[in-house]
């Protein structure tokens, strides 16, 4: 800027109010340390001195009381242009992505980018040339002579093959860091010629692998990566950087597109294994034999593009192995996301000592690859992104990559989302976003460099939107031109990324023009030789199950009792609180009642039994993790394992300071989500199998929001993927008159899924049964026959004295699959009706029996089925065999006839019934809704059900509410 010193503009005259105050504050900092303020302010203060407030006198002249100098006029026009230039800089940073070169096929609609044009701000080249570069752009390089050159350089940085969205990141320190990386090139990846040639060869490997599959296995689905080939070298780079940063585990999740290529080139799955899965017929040992529908027990397998893999690598210069894991994933696309997050947190947690696990986020890194349509369309994505900064779920930052081919099956982006970008959802979670052109491999690796550096520094998520295309249809048997003729007209004439990059390197003299064809020939020859070997290999062992289960395998029963003296010691420790810790008085009275619960005449209720179970499991050295909505207190306020000081609010968990504890205890209230949280806990449990992982639903009804995780992972995970889990699901269940959405955990759905001993389903009626079941589950966590546990947890029964157990029941015995009603069945020859039931209705029945003690019930016996699956056939049969004059077996339930347990137990009870013994049902009739929404109607129905159950010969004339002579 050229200034006439004799007529120097009085700059400070145009500042007033808060603006003047801010400038004066900067001047004070400048006086203490000139380097503490931006260079632009430094230059102003050096030239114009102290910013002082002007005073206007009656004559209209402006004077400054603190200065003896005569002020000059302000060049307000120049000042306005400086302000406008700053606005332009801000908008280039914020909206530069709209003009970026991130569309390989040139399909995007032209976007209004006038915000990036200086003319929109009344600025011309001459105006900007008058301003110092550093005044409007604090990161301006020395070679920027003035504001005009600075703007040109800045625009180039924000509108190339990389497009940046950081304005939604509210943390100023993070946002400034991100902008500085772009503007100063701090994260710019510099590849030497050798590395560029390696990148080129990798792209040819990716391309030719797909080409070979396409030509060799014509018409078979493979969901190729073509159009986003650069994903593989991007993953290579993330793995390499993570390993060098100390990661012992890199956990990955993705849908089916490109999966075979990632398995082959990142996970190291042998080409021969993949070719075999295409070439060979299924293993004959696992197929149904003629006249039989049976398949080898315990294994159904899954299609090749759903399977995961493991690999250990030791990058150059690294002294330890890094384990890579690609999670198994069904066709439900994004539902693997929380599972991978759970894997990662499990790999980071040290669970070997009491208290919360000690987390080291540098030990493991997560990479999740998304589809563009699925990222915007599936709610599980938002649920998982919400884990980013939650104490119980964050993992120090996940690298997200949208593998964007701009299509969802056959649906265009305009029909699949309401946002400009597929990535826009991430803005709500303040996750930085880079969009990158998939046809520019070096730009893609620069995006990776920034993402990994940000993750390592700030321990937060980062998202890369890799914008490419899809070379074929949704699968290779599709003809995509019927739905996207314009797009596929361009795809046909579009060079693949390996060719594009090879041409670029050839022009730069890095490789000769023949190198591409040489690489292709070498790779094709290698693939052909492997395939020839596969064709002559008839062992077919590649399709055999990895880990078969035997039919009807049973958990061996062992004592799960805890010595009385140890229980008493533990109980005393649970009631010791830190000095000066103020327990909420009402809660303190409740907890202090537990002090005498283990005395000879004492009783232990449900919540107390659970706490004792947890404490004794920790004393055995077994870590525990329990999460769920309100789990610290529990929905029904029975747990209270995290106390809060009544005066300070400070939390305290008694299990964290228990002297006997030899492992960690993690307890976290979860976000208001079922699918993502249950998926996370499943993943955590699979990756940390020694841990007893428990998820509690706020109400069991809400599990239907997690049905995909239950169906695809928990129920079928072992048979599809030989993936073992001991996950516990606590699902509050029971018809209490609370209405349709607070009554049923839908036990019928779990029983419908029950097969091949895939999990245990229980509905309990005593606190000691719960104690022993938890301890049995903890003991089985690392056994071969481990299975998930589903508990229809109680609601009103939590505080029902009939459910409380004597101390002796905890120090002796083990879990019992069935319990017999005390006081009934003593006269074996007199028993004509046996009622089988489970859960709360059994307690209701016991209360009804007690109200009618004068009645003669010698004709009746009641069996409580505590374990529904595996069905306790032998135990029930042994009881029924004692009654020689038995006439009818009744299944009693409070759920509607088409729900609950009847459809599951009907056939099983008929198998047990002797000839001439009728099998019947008492309960509510079939309904579309689980329960009545009216308390008085519920009570009337419940009494009628119990009345029918306790009335001899009540079903002879088929008169009942839902009763039927079946």
């Amino acid at each position: 800027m050229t200034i006439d010193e004799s007529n120097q503009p009085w700059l400070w005259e145009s500042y007033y109010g808060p603006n003047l105050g801010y400038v004066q504050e900067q001047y004070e900092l400048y006086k203490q340390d000139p380097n503490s303020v931006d260079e632009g302010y430094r230059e102003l203060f050096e030239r114009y001195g102290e910013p002082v407030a002007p005073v206007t006198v009656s004559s209209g002249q402006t004077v400054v009381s603190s200065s003896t100098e005569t002020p000059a006029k302000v060049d307000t026009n120049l000042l306005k242009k400086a302000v406008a230039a700053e606005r332009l800089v801000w908008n280039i940073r914020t909206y530069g992505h709209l003009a970026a070169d991130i569309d390989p096929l040139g399909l995007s609609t032209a976007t209004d980018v006038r915000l990036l044009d200086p003319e929109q701000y009344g600025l011309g080249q001459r105006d900007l040339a008058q301003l110092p570069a550093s005044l409007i752009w604090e990161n301006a390089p020395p070679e920027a002579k003035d504001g005009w050159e600075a703007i040109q350089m800045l625009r180039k940085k924000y509108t190339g093959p990389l497009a940046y969205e950081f304005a939604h990141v509210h943390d100023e320190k993070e946002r400034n860091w991100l902008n500085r990386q772009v503007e100063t090139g701090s994260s710019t990846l510099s590849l030497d010629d050798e590395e560029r040639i390696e990148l080129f060869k990798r792209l040819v490997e990716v391309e030719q692998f797909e080409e070979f599959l396409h030509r060799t296995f014509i018409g078979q689905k493979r969901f190729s990566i073509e159009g986003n080939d650069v994903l593989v070298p991007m993953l290579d780079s993330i793995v390499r950087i993570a390993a060098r940063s100390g990661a012992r585990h890199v956990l990955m999740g993705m849908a089916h597109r490109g999966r075979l290529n990632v398995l082959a080139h990142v996970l190291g799955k042998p080409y021969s294994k993949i070719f075999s899965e295409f070439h060979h017929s299924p293993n004959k040992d696992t197929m149904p034999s003629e006249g039989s529908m049976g398949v080898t027990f315990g294994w159904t397998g899954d299609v090749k593009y759903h399977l995961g893999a493991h690999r250990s690598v030791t990058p150059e210069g690294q002294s330890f192995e890094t384990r890579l894991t690609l999670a198994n994933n069904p066709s439900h696309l994004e539902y693997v996301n929380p599972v991978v997050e759970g894997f990662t947190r499990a790999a980071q947690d040290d669970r070997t000592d009491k208290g919360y696990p000690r987390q080291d986020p540098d030990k493991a890194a997560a990479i999740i690859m998304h589809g563009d349509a699925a990222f915007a369309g599936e709610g599980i994505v938002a649920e998982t992104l919400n884990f980013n900064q939650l104490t119980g779920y964050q993992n120090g930052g996940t690298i997200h990559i949208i593998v964007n081919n701009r299509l969802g099956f056959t649906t265009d982006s305009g029909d699949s989302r309401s946002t400009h970008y597929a990535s826009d959802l991430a803005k709500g979670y303040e996750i930085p976003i880079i969009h990158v052109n998939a046809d520019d491999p070096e730009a893609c690796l620069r995006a990776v460099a920034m993402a990994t550096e940000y993750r390592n520094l700030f321990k937060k998520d980062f998202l890369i939107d890799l914008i490419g295309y899809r070379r074929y249809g949704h699968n290779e048997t599709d003809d995509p031109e019927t739905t996207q003729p314009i797009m596929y007209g361009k795809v046909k004439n579009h060079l693949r990324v390996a060719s594009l990059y090879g041409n670029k390197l050839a022009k730069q003299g890095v490789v000769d023009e023949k190198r591409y064809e040489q690489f292709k020939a070498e790779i094709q020859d290698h693939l052909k030789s492997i395939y020839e070997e596969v064709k002559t290999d008839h062992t077919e062992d590649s399709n055999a199950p990895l880990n078969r289960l035997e039919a009807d395998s049973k958990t061996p029963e062992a004592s799960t009792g805890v010595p009385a003296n140890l229980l008493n010691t533990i109980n005393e420790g649970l009631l010791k609180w830190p000095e000066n810790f103020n327990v909420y008085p009402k809660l303190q009275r409740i907890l202090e009642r537990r002090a005498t619960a283990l005395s000879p005449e004492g009783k232990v209720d449900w919540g107390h039994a659970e706490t004792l179970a947890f404490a004794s499991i920790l004393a055995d050295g077994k870590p525990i993790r329990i999460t769920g909505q309100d789990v610290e207190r529990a929905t029904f306020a029975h747990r209270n394992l995290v106390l809060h000081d009544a005066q300070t609010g400070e939390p305290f968990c008694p299990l964290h300071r228990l002297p006997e504890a030899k492992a960690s205890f993690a307890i976290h209230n979860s976000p208001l989500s079922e699918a993502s949280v249950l998926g996370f806990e499943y993943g955590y449990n699979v990756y940390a199998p020694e841990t007893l992982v428990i998820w509690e639903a706020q109400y069991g009804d809400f599990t239907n929001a997690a049905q995909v995780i239950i169906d695809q992972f928990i129920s079928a995970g072992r048979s599809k993927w030989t993936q073992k889990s001991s996950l516990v699901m606590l699902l509050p269940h029971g018809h209490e008159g609370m209405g349709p959405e607070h009554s049923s955990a839908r036990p019928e759905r779990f029983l419908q899924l029950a097969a091949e001993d895939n999990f245990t389903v229980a509905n309990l009626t005593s606190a000691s049964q719960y104690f022993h079941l938890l301890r049995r589950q903890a003991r089985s966590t690392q056994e071969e026959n481990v299975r998930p546990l589903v508990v229809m947890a109680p609601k009103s029964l939590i505080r029902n004295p009939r459910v409380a157990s004597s101390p002796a029941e905890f120090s002796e015995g083990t879990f019992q699959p069935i319990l017999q009603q005390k006081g009934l069945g003593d006269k074996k020859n007199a028993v004509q009706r046996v009622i089988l039931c489970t859960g709360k209705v059994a307690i209701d029945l016991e209360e009804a029996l007690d109200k009618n003690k004068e009645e003669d019930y010698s004709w009746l016996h009641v069996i409580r089925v505590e374990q529904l699956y595996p069905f306790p056939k032998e135990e029930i049969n042994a009881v029924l065999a004692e009654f020689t004059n038995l006439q009818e077996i009744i299944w009693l339930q409070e759920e509607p006839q088409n729900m609950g347990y009847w459809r599951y137990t009907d056939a099983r009870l008929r198998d047990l019934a002797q000839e001439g013994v009728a099998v019947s049902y008492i309960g509510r009739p079939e309904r579309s809704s689980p329960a009545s929404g009216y308390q008085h109607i519920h009570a009337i129905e419940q009494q009628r059900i119990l009345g029918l159950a306790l009335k001899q010969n009540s079903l002879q004339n088929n008169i009942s509410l839902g009763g039927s002579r079946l």
Side-chain angles (χ1 to χ4, degrees):
M1 181 183 342
T2 302
I3 302 292
D4 182 354
E5 297 295 340
S6 65
N7 188 28
Q8 189 181 71
W10 184 245
L11 179 66
W12 310 125
E13 184 184 53
S14 61
Y15 284 86
Y16 54 88
N19 291 334
L20 178 62
Y22 177 75
V23 173
Q24 289 173 333
E25 183 182 85
Q26 293 296 304
Y27 183 73
E28 291 302 316
L29 295 173
Y30 166 79
K31 286 197 300 183
Q32 297 174 25
D33 178 11
N35 292 322
S36 66
V37 299
D38 287 344
E39 187 176 344
Y41 280 116
R42 205 157 54 239
E43 185 175 335
L44 289 174
F45 297 146
E46 289 169 358
R47 178 172 293 193
Y48 300 119
E50 178 182 1
V52 290
V55 178
T56 303
V57 294
S58 58
S59 64
Q61 292 178 315
T62 300
V63 299
V64 180
S65 58
S66 61
S67 175
T68 59
E69 298 179 10
T70 303
K73 284 188 176 181
V74 176
D75 187 348
T76 55
N77 186 52
L78 187 61
L79 182 62
K80 287 178 181 178
K81 292 186 184 301
V83 173
E86 288 191 7
R87 286 174 54 208
L88 173 60
V89 168
W90 171 262
N91 283 332
I92 289 173
R93 288 170 173 160
T94 306
Y95 302 110
H97 59 86
L98 296 175
D101 179 21
I102 54 174
D103 181 5
L105 297 180
L107 290 170
S108 298
T109 305
T111 309
D112 185 350
V113 293
R114 286 176 293 176
L115 282 170
L116 311 180
D117 187 349
E119 292 183 4
Q120 286 293 114
Y121 306 87
L123 298 171
Q125 180 174 348
R126 183 176 179 183
D127 298 320
L128 288 168
Q130 287 184 288
L131 299 172
S134 59
L135 180 64
I136 61 174
W137 178 22
E138 65 274 16
N139 296 320
E143 55 267 28
K145 297 176 183 178
D146 53 40
W148 173 256
E149 291 192 5
I151 291 297
Q152 303 313 306
M153 291 180 181
L154 189 67
R155 178 163 177 156
K156 185 176 180 181
K157 289 179 180 291
Y158 281 94
T159 60
L162 288 161
Y164 308 94
E165 290 193 273
F166 303 146
H168 57 278
V169 177
H170 292 163
D171 187 298
E172 188 175 6
K173 180 181 178 183
E174 292 179 32
R175 190 175 63 251
N176 288 341
W177 182 90
L178 289 162
N179 287 328
R180 195 159 53 248
Q181 301 307 298
V182 178
E183 295 166 19
T184 65
S186 301
S187 289
T188 299
L189 190 72
S190 179
L191 300 179
D192 59 33
D193 286 351
E194 185 177 341
E195 290 170 326
R196 298 171 86 191
I197 293 171
E198 283 300 312
L199 174 57
F200 176 34
K201 184 176 182 181
R202 190 60 151 170
L203 292 170
V204 180
E205 285 178 341
V206 171
E207 173 193 284
Q208 291 306 304
F209 174 72
E210 297 288 359
E211 276 286 294
F212 184 82
L213 294 180
H214 192 67
R215 291 196 308 268
T216 307
F217 306 107
I218 297 170
Q220 291 205 45
K221 298 177 184 178
R222 71 178 193 280
F223 302 101
S224 84
I225 201 173
E226 292 161 282
N228 277 297
D229 310 51
V230 74
L231 175 66
V232 168
M234 288 173 73
L235 294 176
D236 290 338
S237 183
I238 297 174
V239 169
R240 186 165 50 251
I241 294 170
R244 288 173 180 171
S245 301
R248 304 297 181 100
H249 306 263
V250 177
L251 297 312
M252 292 177 273
M254 68 183 300
H256 46 272
R257 183 158 308 285
R259 193 177 186 89
L260 293 179
N261 217 304
V262 170
L263 282 168
H265 295 119
V266 182
L267 275 296
K269 185 172 182 177
Y271 289 144
S272 58
K273 174 77 171 174
I274 296 172
F275 295 163
S276 177
E277 290 168 350
F278 277 100
H279 177 69
H280 284 155
S281 61
N283 189 298
K284 298 178 179 60
D285 292 339
T286 68
M287 294 299 291
S289 59
E290 186 175 351
S292 167
M293 291 304 293
V295 179
T296 301
F297 289 112
W299 187 77
T300 61
D302 204 347
V303 293
K304 49 191 166 289
Y305 34 79
H306 287 174
L307 300 175
H310 303 278
R311 179 190 185 189
S312 291
V313 298
T314 307
E316 186 178 350
Q318 184 175 302
S319 60
F320 56 84
E321 282 190 341
T322 297
R323 181 174 175 81
L324 313 184
T325 300
L326 177 65
N328 302 291
N329 191 22
S331 285
H332 291 69
L333 305 179
E334 303 289 338
Y335 276 83
V336 75
N337 297 356
V339 176
V340 171
E341 298 281 336
F343 282 179
T344 310
R345 182 60 179 263
Q348 294 172 348
D349 281 352
D350 180 350
R351 296 169 288 275
T352 57
D353 201 0
K354 70 181 67 174
Y356 281 106
R358 294 186 300 276
Q359 183 189 6
D360 179 359
D362 293 328
K363 283 176 60 177
I367 309 167
I368 299 180
M369 290 149 275
H370 310 269
D372 51 305
F375 191 85
E378 293 195 358
I380 192 71
V381 177
E383 292 185 27
T384 306
L385 294 179
N386 191 42
F387 290 152
N388 190 7
Q389 291 300 296
L390 301 185
T391 302
Y393 301 88
Q394 56 82 19
N395 61 23
T398 295
I399 304 296
H400 299 272
I401 303 175
I402 297 178
V403 187
N404 192 338
N405 57 44
R406 310 179 65 169
L407 286 172
F409 201 84
T410 65
T411 304
D412 289 313
S413 299
D415 294 320
S416 65
R417 65 172 189 264
S418 297
T419 57
H420 184 78
Y421 292 118
S423 58
D424 283 345
L425 173 67
K427 292 180 181 178
Y429 300 94
E430 299 189 42
I431 297 171
I433 300 166
I434 293 180
H435 310 276
V436 61
N437 191 322
D439 273 357
D440 191 327
E442 292 186 27
C444 292
L445 295 190
R446 289 201 298 274
V448 163
M450 184 184 290
T452 51
E453 191 171 347
Y454 175 88
R455 189 262 179 193
N456 291 340
L457 184 61
F458 296 105
K459 308 303 180 189
K460 292 182 179 179
D461 288 14
F462 199 102
L463 189 149
I464 299 171
D465 182 15
L466 177 65
I467 302 176
Y469 56 92
R470 191 180 72 193
R471 178 155 290 276
Y472 299 103
H474 175 69
N475 60 63
E476 286 68 30
T477 64
D478 265 351
D479 179 1
E481 292 190 71
T482 61
T483 50
Q484 276 82 27
I486 305 299
M487 175 184 285
Y488 280 93
K490 291 196 172 191
V491 168
K492 282 182 178 180
N493 299 309
H494 189 76
L495 284 179
R496 304 186 186 197
V497 65
S499 298
L500 291 171
Y501 191 56
N503 292 342
K504 178 181 178 180
L505 295 185
K507 287 179 181 179
Q508 295 174 349
V510 177
V511 298
D512 60 50
E513 294 180 355
K514 297 180 181 179
R515 185 65 65 92
Y516 176 57
E517 294 300 330
Q518 290 172 353
F519 280 157
K520 279 178 60 175
E522 291 171 7
I523 294 165
Q524 283 295 322
D525 287 346
H526 179 58
L527 294 171
K528 288 175 184 176
S529 65
I530 292 174
Y531 181 57
E532 289 302 317
E533 293 177 8
V534 170
K535 286 199 298 184
T536 58
D537 181 3
H538 301 292
T539 59
E540 300 186 2
D541 60 350
S542 61
N543 290 301
L546 301 176
N547 183 16
R548 299 184 185 183
L549 291 174
E550 295 300 323
D552 300 323
S553 62
K554 291 189 176 181
T555 302
E557 297 296 339
S559 174
T560 48
V562 177
N565 58 344
L566 177 57
L567 279 178
N568 277 289
T569 301
I570 287 173
N571 198 47
E572 291 173 8
L574 291 170
L575 295 174
K576 291 179 181 178
W577 303 310
E579 188 176 354
N580 300 323
F581 187 85
N582 303 290
V583 182
Y584 178 58
K586 180 180 177 181
L587 180 57
Q588 182 173 351
R589 290 192 296 272
I590 293 171
L591 294 174
E592 286 178 344
R593 292 177 198 154
R594 295 180 175 182
T596 59
L598 292 174
S599 62
E601 302 302 320
K603 287 285 187 178
V604 177
D605 65 16
W606 187 274
H608 192 187
E610 180 186 71
T611 303
L612 290 174
F614 289 164
S616 64
I617 291 167
L618 294 174
D620 291 339
K622 181 74 64 176
I624 299 172
R625 175 183 167 92
I626 177 170
T627 71
Q629 295 156 25
D630 316 300
V631 76
E632 294 179 356
R633 188 202 76 167
T635 302
F636 306 103
H638 73 275
R639 182 169 294 122
N640 293 301
L641 279 179
V642 177
L643 310 179
H644 295 270
D645 189 292
Q647 296 180 13
T648 67
E650 286 297 309
F652 166 68
C653 177
L655 287 171
H656 287 164
R657 289 182 44 174
L658 193 69
E660 291 75 19
K662 298 184 183 69
S664 66
F665 180 74
I667 181 167
H668 299 285
N669 286 337
S670 75
L672 195 65
S673 163
E674 287 77 36
S676 65
V677 173
L678 185 56
F680 186 102
E681 303 310 334
Y682 174 81
Y684 193 106
N685 178 234
V686 168
Y687 215 78
E690 81 286 0
T691 308
L692 180 65
V693 179
I694 303 170
W695 175 70
E696 181 178 63
Q698 189 178 64
Y699 285 89
D701 309 63
F702 303 158
T703 52
N704 54 15
Q707 200 65 46
V708 172
I709 298 295
I710 294 167
D711 290 352
Q712 307 301 327
F713 291 89
I714 297 173
S715 170
R718 182 158 191 168
S719 66
K720 291 193 297 186
W721 309 317
T722 68
Q723 192 162 279
K724 294 181 289 185
S725 169
S726 61
L727 178 68
V728 179
M729 298 172 59
L730 302 179
L731 313 178
H733 172 84
H735 283 52
E736 319 273 5
M738 295 292 290
E741 274 70 59
H742 293 85
S743 296
S744 180
R746 299 287 192 172
E748 65 276 2
R749 293 182 180 173
F750 293 96
L751 296 175
Q752 184 184 44
L753 291 168
E756 300 177 307
D757 289 299
N758 57 337
F759 39 54
T760 301
V761 181
N763 194 353
L764 313 177
T765 58
S766 95
S768 61
Q769 282 279 84
Y770 183 43
F771 174 89
H772 289 295
L773 185 59
L774 285 175
R775 285 187 52 78
R776 184 181 81 171
Q777 188 71 5
R779 178 173 291 176
S780 72
T781 54
Q782 290 175 279
E783 294 179 357
E784 182 57 33
N785 59 352
V786 64
R787 57 172 74 95
L789 170 63
V790 182
V791 179
M792 303 295 121
K795 296 187 291 185
S796 66
L797 297 192
I798 286 171
R799 293 177 177 83
N800 192 313
R802 295 178 183 275
V803 175
S805 302
S806 66
E809 293 177 85
F810 296 90
S811 55
E812 301 169 5
T814 188
F815 174 74
Q816 300 298 319
I818 66 169
L819 296 176
Q820 299 184 59
Q821 180 65 49
K822 295 178 181 178
L824 294 179
D826 295 334
K827 298 178 181 179
K828 308 297 183 186
N829 293 335
V831 173
Q832 298 178 11
R833 172 183 288 183
V834 170
I835 295 175
L836 292 99
C837 54
T838 187
K840 187 185 78 70
V841 75
I843 301 299
D844 291 346
L845 194 61
E846 181 179 279
E847 290 177 348
L849 286 165
D850 282 353
K851 288 179 181 177
N852 299 288
K853 289 184 178 179
E854 68 285 355
E855 292 284 337
D856 177 13
Y857 287 114
S858 60
W859 54 275
L860 177 67
H861 192 51
V862 176
I863 300 173
R864 300 180 185 179
V865 183
E866 303 278 291
Q867 176 179 293
L868 281 303
Y869 185 82
F871 190 68
K873 176 180 178 180
E874 295 176 4
E875 291 85 348
I876 294 172
N877 196 42
V879 176
L880 295 179
E882 297 178 352
F883 308 126
T884 56
N885 292 317
L886 187 63
Q887 296 179 11
E888 57 183 354
I889 297 173
I890 303 290
W891 179 262
L892 170 69
Q893 67 179 39
E894 54 191 359
E895 297 82 3
Q897 188 171 3
N898 57 318
M899 302 179 195
Y901 316 92
W902 168 242
R903 297 273 169 89
Y904 166 78
T905 58
D906 180 13
R908 288 168 172 80
L909 294 179
R910 292 183 187 282
D911 286 343
L912 294 175
Q914 297 181 4
E915 187 176 352
V917 176
V919 175
S920 304
Y921 163 85
I922 293 178
R924 287 173 169 80
E926 292 186 354
R927 284 183 175 154
S928 59
S929 180
S932 169
Y934 301 99
Q935 182 75 43
H936 67 284
I937 293 177
H938 162 79
I940 292 170
E941 290 180 344
Q942 198 75 353
Q943 288 306 309
R944 290 181 68 181
I945 289 169
L946 296 172
L948 285 167
L950 297 179
K951 183 177 181 181
Q952 194 172 11
N953 302 322
S954 59
L955 299 186
Q956 285 185 354
N957 297 318
N958 193 25
I959 50 167
S960 73
L961 176 67
S964 57
R965 191 79 165 179
L966 301 172

